[in-house]
């Protein structure tokens, strides 16, 4: 930061008009409406502060962003290299440039994304009045400069010619910063009305126009020595009212300076991945985003450099992702796409997680994809695949991939690669993972990674459907609209004669994955009742049906006898054993027979 200076507004707008001051391409579009523009013009005429702005000195900068001119500028942004980039102040400067400097009409959005064109005027008598708000003296008119009413039948204000501007005492705001045009308009205005209007004009010029013409904006200029990471952080800090700037957008703007369209490339990548159920949500387009891909690619690139001795470690913090070179991206891009595909196969085939709704942590996809991208053949070995599974489940049941994962990504990738190549030291996530029985009891909803992990382990252990007895594999799980349902139904548990506490009947211990049509057989009855109905209607013998039920780690005897508490305890023990087998760690506080 070089300091805060009051910079003449006319010089800033002139610089914008020449393309010497532009916007970095990661800036969103201009969105101000008519009311905000009029209010801003009113503030300028009152000489009110409009807030500081922040520019980046782009001359000699160590990194480059693709840039674009402010909306309304009539030159090609690629024809000039801007001296400054606007980081904070885009909406204000675009509004002032378009309404007060540019000669073209201002395109704004009103109502339901309806585009309209407006010109702005200052009504001289109203601006000078002490009885009205200044904003009332700022008039916006359509492109034809005629305001009508009564569904267009009557003309309310006509400014379609210079003479009509003079007659209505309306000064065109877009010539304020053009002294020659202002002087010509003044002379014609006085000639139109006679010298008796001179006093009013003199007051208008001195009290309204001159303050705008001489207006100065507090300007913070970031030096060209600042890092790309700092630019991202500064932008996020000052852009509190807008959408958060992502690392992906910054890297997109950086790569664009070298002629590479990252956004288009990511669209092509996502087109290859979009049909994977693990990667997409019903109400959310995807579980794996462009920013995730860049994070993974940074890890992949850094790991290879680390393995060659070119780096002292692996890292994927924001500054590392922002430092990603286009050449590294192009070198590892295809390998990482294959790594993501292999990770999806692994999750579906070996972990029995079939949809993104059931994915415990989307974040764990990042290191998993990188590990397969580094050496997919290493993890095809049965021993190493078991190590991969143990690491994954430790992340899930240790609940270690919830937030602030950059360091964990790096540690696990390095640790897993060493372990997979015969090293004795366990990865950090396996070392740190722990799970307590009390946590199992308190898993009530899908919001928890461990809850989803329990359901996946039930499927992985060979659960078959309660009714059909079909193995719940990927095809049937998706096709049959499988969901998580209570084993002892809520309606039965909450009856007065049963009075099962909610923290028991709503626990994951009393839940299991069921096909949608199978769940309809359960209704709200006791297990003994709906079991009999299933056997009778579908002609299933008791031993076969018992086998279906037992495949869900359910004690059949207590289930058949509607003995909730014995069922609950025995299933809790069974689920704890599944977690212990998966993680290789003892479940603390596990109940005993």
């Amino acid at each position: 930061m070089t300091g805060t200076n009051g910079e003449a507004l006319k010089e800033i707008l002139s610089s914008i008009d020449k393309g010497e001051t532009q916007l970095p391409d990661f800036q969103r579009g201009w969105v101000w409406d008519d009311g905000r523009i009029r209010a801003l013009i009113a503030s300028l005429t009152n000489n009110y502060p409009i807030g500081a702005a922040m520019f980046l000195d782009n001359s000699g900068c160590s990194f480059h962003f693709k840039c674009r001119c402010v909306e309304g500028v009539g030159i090609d942004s690629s024809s000039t290299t801007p001296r400054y980039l606007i980081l904070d102040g885009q909406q204000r400067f675009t509004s002032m440039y378009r309404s007060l400097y540019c000669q073209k009409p201002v395109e704004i959005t009103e109502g339901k994304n309806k585009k309209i064109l407006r010109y702005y005027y200052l009504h001289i008598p109203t601006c000078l009045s002490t009885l009205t708000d200044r904003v009332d003296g700022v008039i916006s008119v359509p492109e034809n400069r005629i305001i009508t009413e009564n569904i267009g039948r009557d003309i309310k204000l006509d400014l379609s010619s210079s003479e009509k501007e003079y007659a209505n005492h309306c000064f065109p705001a877009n010539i304020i910063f053009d002294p020659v045009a202002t002087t010509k308009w003044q002379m014609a205005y006085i000639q139109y009305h006679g010298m008796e209007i001179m006093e009013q004009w003199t007051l208008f010029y001195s009290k309204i126009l001159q303050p705008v013409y001489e207006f100065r904006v507090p300007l913070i200029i970031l030096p060209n020595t600042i890092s790309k990471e700092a630019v991202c952080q500064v932008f996020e800090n000052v852009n509190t009212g807008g959408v958060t700037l992502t690392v992906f957008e910054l890297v997109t703007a950086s790569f664009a300076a070298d002629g590479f369209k990252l956004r288009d490339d990511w669209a092509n990548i996502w087109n290859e991945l979009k049909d994977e159920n693990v990667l997409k949500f019903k109400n959310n387009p995807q579980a794996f985003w462009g920013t995730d891909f860049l994070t993974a690619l940074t890890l992949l690139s850094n790991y290879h450099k680390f393995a060659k001795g070119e780096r002292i470690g692996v890292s994927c913090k924001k500054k590392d992702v922002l430092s990603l070179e286009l050449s590294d991206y192009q070198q590892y891009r295809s390998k990482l796409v294959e790594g993501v595909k292999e990770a999806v196969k692994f999750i579906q085939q070996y972990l029995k997680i079939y949809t993104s709704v059931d994915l415990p942590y989307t974040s764990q996809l990042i290191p998993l994809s990188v590990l397969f991208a580094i050496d997919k053949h290493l993890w095809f070995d049965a021993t190493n695949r078991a190590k991969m599974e143990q690491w994954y489940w430790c992340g899930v049941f240790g609940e270690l991939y919830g937030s602030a994962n950059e360091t964990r990504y790096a540690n696990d990738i390095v640790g897993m690669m060493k372990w997979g190549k015969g090293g004795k030291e366990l990865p950090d996530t396996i070392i740190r993972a722990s799970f307590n029985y009390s946590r199992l009891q308190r898993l009530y909803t899908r919001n928890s990674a461990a809850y989803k992990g329990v359901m996946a382990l039930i499927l992985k252990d060979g659960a078959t459907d309660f009714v059909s007895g079909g193995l719940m594999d990927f095809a049937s799980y998706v096709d049959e609209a499988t969901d998580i349902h209570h084993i002892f139904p809520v309606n039965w548990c909450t009856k007065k004669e049963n009075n099962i506490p909610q923290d028991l009947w709503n626990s994951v211990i009393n839940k299991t994955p069921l096909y949608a049509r199978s769940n309809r057989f359960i209704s709200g009855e006791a297990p003994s009742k709906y079991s009999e109905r299933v056997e009778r209607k579908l002609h299933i013998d008791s031993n076969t049906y018992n086998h279906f039920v037992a495949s869900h780690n359910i004690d059949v005897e207590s289930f058949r006898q509607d003995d909730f508490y014995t069922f609950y305890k025995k299933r809790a023990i069974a689920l704890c054993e599944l977690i212990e087998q998966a993680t290789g760690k003892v479940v603390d506080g596990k109940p005993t027979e």
Side-chain angles (χ1 to χ4, degrees):
M1 185 183 301
T2 59
T4 303
N5 306 300
E7 184 69 25
L9 177 58
K10 63 177 180 290
E11 298 299 332
I12 297 174
L13 297 182
S14 174
S15 175
I16 289 172
D17 190 61
K18 296 173 184 175
E20 296 171 355
T21 296
Q22 295 186 22
L23 297 166
D25 202 45
F26 56 74
Q27 283 270 29
R28 270 75 173 191
W30 177 63
V31 295
W32 272 22
D33 58 22
D34 183 66
R36 297 186 74 176
I37 296 171
R38 291 175 57 238
L40 178 61
I41 295 172
S43 293
L44 291 173
T45 63
N46 276 313
N47 203 25
Y48 292 163
I50 60 170
M54 186 178 294
F55 287 8
L56 170 66
D57 185 352
N58 191 52
S59 60
C61 207
S62 60
F63 54 87
H64 299 286
F65 295 122
K66 182 181 180 182
C67 308
R68 71 176 191 273
C69 289
V70 167
E71 291 187 38
V73 174
I75 63 173
D76 183 0
S77 59
S78 62
S79 65
T80 180
T81 300
R83 170 67 191 276
Y84 297 107
L85 298 180
I86 303 172
L87 295 184
D88 182 35
Q90 174 201 6
Q91 302 297 325
R92 286 168 288 163
F93 284 119
T94 303
S95 298
M96 290 185 289
Y97 174 77
R98 299 207 65 175
S99 62
L100 303 178
Y101 201 97
C102 179
Q103 299 303 301
K104 293 179 287 187
V106 184
E107 183 182 70
I108 59 175
T109 302
E110 290 290 334
K112 298 181 179 179
N113 294 322
K114 180 182 178 182
K115 299 289 185 182
I116 58 174
L117 298 173
R118 312 295 284 183
Y119 284 104
Y120 291 86
Y121 283 85
L122 299 176
H123 184 244
I124 297 173
T126 305
C127 285
L128 292 175
S129 173
T130 59
L131 301 177
T132 58
D133 289 333
R134 182 60 54 81
V135 72
D136 294 332
V138 181
I139 301 171
S140 69
V141 299
E143 183 182 14
N144 64 2
R145 303 180 196 251
I146 300 173
I147 298 177
T148 61
E149 55 188 6
N150 193 18
I151 320 179
R153 296 188 184 95
D154 303 324
I155 294 177
K156 182 179 179 181
L157 179 63
D158 185 351
L159 303 176
S160 58
S161 68
S162 298
E163 288 73 18
K164 292 175 180 177
E165 291 174 353
Y166 309 147
N168 288 286
H169 304 278
C170 288
F171 178 82
N174 62 3
I175 66 170
I176 288 179
F177 291 99
D178 185 343
V180 174
T182 297
T183 300
K184 287 182 178 179
W185 196 94
Q186 166 198 329
M187 293 173 63
Y189 177 63
I190 294 172
Q191 184 177 5
Y192 183 91
H193 288 283
M195 290 304 296
E196 62 270 16
I197 205 72
M198 187 66 182
E199 182 179 357
Q200 185 186 60
W201 169 262
T202 302
L203 282 173
F204 175 72
Y205 184 84
S206 62
K207 291 183 177 293
I208 307 298
L209 297 187
Q210 194 166 4
V212 178
Y213 188 77
E214 296 177 352
F215 195 91
R216 303 186 75 83
V217 180
L219 189 60
I220 302 170
I221 301 178
L222 302 182
N224 55 17
T225 55
I226 193 172
S227 68
K228 194 187 297 183
E229 179 192 14
V231 171
C232 180
Q233 189 60 55
V234 166
F235 186 84
E236 289 182 357
N237 290 343
V238 301
N239 194 39
T240 54
V243 181
T244 302
L245 175 70
T246 67
V247 170
F248 183 83
E249 289 164 308
L250 269 174
V251 177
T252 297
S254 181
F255 283 3
D258 295 320
F260 184 81
K261 297 180 178 180
L262 177 59
R263 199 175 301 281
D264 291 349
D265 192 56
W266 169 244
N268 293 331
I269 292 170
W270 183 244
N271 194 50
E272 290 187 53
L273 302 174
K274 66 182 181 181
D275 292 330
E276 300 290 355
N277 283 279
V278 168
L279 300 181
K280 62 184 180 181
F281 284 113
K282 291 180 181 178
N283 299 320
N284 192 359
Q286 57 204 78
F288 195 71
W289 296 89
T291 300
D292 299 325
F293 189 81
L294 288 180
T295 300
L297 198 139
T298 300
L299 286 163
L300 179 60
S301 171
N302 285 352
Y303 178 81
H304 283 295
K305 291 177 181 179
F306 168 70
K308 295 174 184 177
E310 297 174 7
R311 287 181 60 95
I312 61 173
V314 178
S315 178
C316 65
K317 295 186 182 299
K318 183 183 290 186
K319 64 181 178 61
D320 300 299
V321 181
L322 292 173
S323 299
L324 184 67
E325 297 289 339
L326 177 58
S327 58
D328 291 330
Y329 178 88
Q330 292 172 321
Q331 180 179 355
Y332 294 110
R333 176 256 196 213
S334 297
K335 184 174 288 188
L336 180 57
V337 172
E338 290 306 308
V340 176
K341 292 178 180 178
E342 292 296 334
V344 169
K345 289 180 187 177
F346 174 77
I347 288 170
Q348 292 179 342
Q349 292 179 10
Y350 298 106
L351 305 181
K352 305 305 179 184
I353 299 168
Y354 300 131
T355 72
S356 60
V357 174
D358 302 304
L359 190 66
Y361 287 122
T362 58
S363 56
Q364 210 166 354
L365 275 168
I366 293 174
L368 187 63
S369 299
V370 174
L371 288 167
F372 278 109
I374 292 172
D375 187 354
K376 66 179 182 180
H377 301 293
L378 180 66
W379 308 108
F380 288 158
D381 173 85
T383 300
N384 281 342
R385 189 177 67 244
K387 291 179 179 179
M388 179 79 85
E389 290 184 39
Q390 183 183 359
W391 162 78
Y392 188 90
W393 294 123
C394 281
V396 171
F397 290 102
E399 297 183 288
L400 296 171
Y401 269 88
S403 60
N405 296 308
E406 293 88 352
T407 300
R408 182 159 304 283
Y409 295 154
N411 289 343
D412 278 352
I413 288 168
V414 174
M416 282 296 291
M417 289 304 298
K418 288 181 179 178
W419 197 34
K421 292 179 178 180
K424 301 300 181 184
E425 186 177 352
L426 295 174
D428 185 71
T429 288
I430 294 180
I431 294 172
R432 293 181 182 276
S434 65
F435 191 75
N436 193 286
Y437 171 61
S438 64
R439 180 64 177 137
L440 180 68
Q441 292 179 298
R442 291 182 285 106
L443 296 175
Y444 302 124
T445 70
R446 267 203 177 107
N447 294 333
S448 165
Y451 178 102
K452 298 178 183 181
V454 169
M455 291 300 128
L457 289 182
I458 292 170
L459 294 175
K460 182 175 169 59
D461 198 44
T464 60
D465 180 54
F466 260 31
V467 174
S468 69
L471 186 65
M472 303 179 81
D473 57 12
F474 173 73
S476 64
Y477 188 93
V478 175
D479 291 344
E480 294 287 351
T482 306
D483 205 349
I484 311 304
H485 297 284
H486 293 85
I487 300 167
F488 278 70
V490 175
N491 187 54
W492 181 88
C493 291
T494 54
K495 285 183 177 179
K496 187 176 181 179
E497 62 267 27
N498 299 320
N499 196 28
I500 307 296
Q502 182 174 349
D503 61 341
L504 297 184
W505 63 252
N506 201 35
S507 168
V508 72
I509 296 169
N510 185 40
K511 295 178 182 178
T512 206
L514 294 175
Y515 292 164
R517 58 179 174 174
S518 299
N519 184 58
R520 288 193 285 271
F521 275 92
I522 292 178
S523 184
E525 296 179 322
S528 61
K529 297 293 185 182
Y530 69 71
S531 297
E532 291 174 2
R533 186 169 62 256
V534 169
E535 291 171 349
R536 184 177 65 258
K537 288 193 173 184
L538 299 180
H539 310 293
I540 302 173
D541 66 80
S542 295
N543 288 334
T544 300
Y545 186 72
N546 288 347
H547 175 74
F548 296 166
V549 172
S551 71
H552 287 253
N553 303 95
I554 294 171
D555 174 63
V556 175
E557 184 178 355
S558 57
F559 172 84
R560 287 279 198 177
Q561 294 175 358
D562 302 331
D563 181 355
F564 179 88
Y565 291 100
T566 301
F567 149 81
Y568 185 90
K569 183 175 182 179
K570 290 192 173 185
R571 194 164 196 252
I573 294 170
L575 295 181
C576 286
E577 289 173 352
L578 285 182
I579 294 170
E580 289 178 335
Q581 292 168 12
T583 62
K585 311 290 286 278
V586 174
V587 174
D588 297 327
K590 179 180 69 173
T592 62
E593 290 289 352

